[in-house]
């Protein structure tokens, strides 16, 4: 049966209208099913997946219906020799790959964001953008490769050029990439997090971690200056984390007493001052030890634990002042006469 041009156009328009309707219905049904399952499973992310999947899915279904209709129309006697169908078929394939990559990109963004929210900490701030853009580049690159392969484009030269360009970029940014890889290691291994007080062994550098970036880590030193240290140097250094496993800190204060000082009374007075201080923890219990008997003096060691590492110096200063007053009362300071 030969279909006239007028009837053929009517059939095409009718078929496209039905394709739009069925695509919308199937897409709506699929997304409603995902949303219903998400509510049953109490997984809010699945509802977001359903939301972002509707339009890409409808467009993909419409293009699929259009592809099937084009194949059926091309088999009709009056349309078999029309070369335009080859161009329509290629254009339809390009659109399908573009919409599929768009859909995959939206799903990738939702799922990766959900995963990094579960990890918490600094992952979402620093690693999430890297993973999102890397995934997007990879998805669209693969879609481009598939489209070029569909049109029989020789990909060997393109891939070789891409490989050479990647190698050149790698050599040009070797130090930056090294710091970025080290940053990923720090964020994944988590030897410290923002807010921890760390020390780089052997360097004397001590500070509170302010930011862990992809290239460098910023520390706020005790004297309130900013330290910017490359991640590569941090990974290769021995790090002492003073905030782990807890934020409490051990405080030791060495004291010198003359031999005439009443040791037991001094110990009791020092322990009383330790128990009075609000920042000194009752557990582990504070202790005072007689550690050395010298030629002319005795040495005591006061040991306690402070609730907050960052207040260590302030607590030590306050305890030293209180100890001095008590030792003066007991006439137990070095240089005091025993009389």
């Amino acid at each position: 049966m030969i279909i006239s041009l007028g009837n053929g156009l009517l059939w095409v328009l009718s078929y496209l209208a039905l394709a739009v309707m069925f695509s919308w219905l199937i897409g709506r049904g699929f997304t409603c099913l995902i949303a219903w399952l998400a509510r049953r499973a109490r997984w809010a992310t699945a509802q977001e997946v359903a939301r972002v999947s509707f339009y890409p899915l409808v467009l993909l279904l419409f293009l699929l219906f259009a592809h099937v209709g084009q194949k059926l129309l091309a088999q009709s006697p009056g349309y078999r020799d029309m070369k335009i169908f080859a161009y329509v078929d290629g254009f339809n394939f390009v659109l399908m790959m573009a919409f599929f990559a768009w859909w995959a990109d939206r799903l990738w963004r939702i799922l990766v964001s959900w995963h990094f929210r579960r990890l918490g900490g600094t992952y979402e701030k620093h690693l999430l953008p890297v993973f999102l853009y890397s995934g997007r580049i990879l998805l669209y690159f693969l879609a481009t490769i598939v489209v070029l392969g569909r049109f029989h484009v020789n990909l060997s030269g393109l891939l070789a050029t891409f490989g050479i360009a990647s190698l050149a970029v790698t050599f040009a940014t070797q130090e930056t990439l090294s710091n970025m890889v080290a940053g990923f290691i720090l964020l994944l291994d988590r030897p410290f997090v923002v807010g921890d007080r760390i020390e780089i062994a052997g360097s004397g550098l001590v500070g509170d971690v302010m930011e862990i970036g992809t290239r460098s880590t910023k520390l706020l030193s005790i004297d309130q200056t900013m330290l910017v240290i490359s991640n590569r140097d941090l990974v290769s250094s021995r790090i002492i984390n003073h905030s782990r496993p807890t934020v409490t800190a051990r405080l030791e204060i060495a004291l010198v007493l003359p031999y005439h000082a009443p040791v037991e009374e001094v110990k009791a007075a020092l322990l009383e001052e330790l128990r009075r201080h609000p920042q000194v923890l009752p557990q582990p219990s504070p202790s005072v030890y007689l550690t050395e008997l010298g030629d002319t003096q005795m040495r005591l060691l006061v040991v306690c634990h402070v609730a907050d590492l960052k207040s260590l110096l302030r607590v030590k200063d306050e305890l030293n002042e209180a100890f001095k007053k008590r030792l003066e009362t007991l006439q137990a300071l070095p240089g005091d006469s025993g009389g």
Side-chain angles (χ1 to χ4, degrees), residues 77-98:
Y79 298 89
R80 288 177 181 174
D81 297 329
M82 296 184 66
K83 296 183 179 180
I84 192 174
F85 287 120
Y87 298 102
V88 171
D89 189 50
F91 182 70
N92 189 58
F93 182 80
V94 171
L95 287 179
M96 289 183 68
M97 289 305 303

Side-chain angles (χ1 to χ4, degrees), residues 81 85 93 112 129 133-134 209 214 269 285 299 335:
D81 297 329
F85 287 120
F93 182 80
V112 172
Y133 287 112
S134 299
V209 180
T214 54
S285 58
R299 295 185 182 274

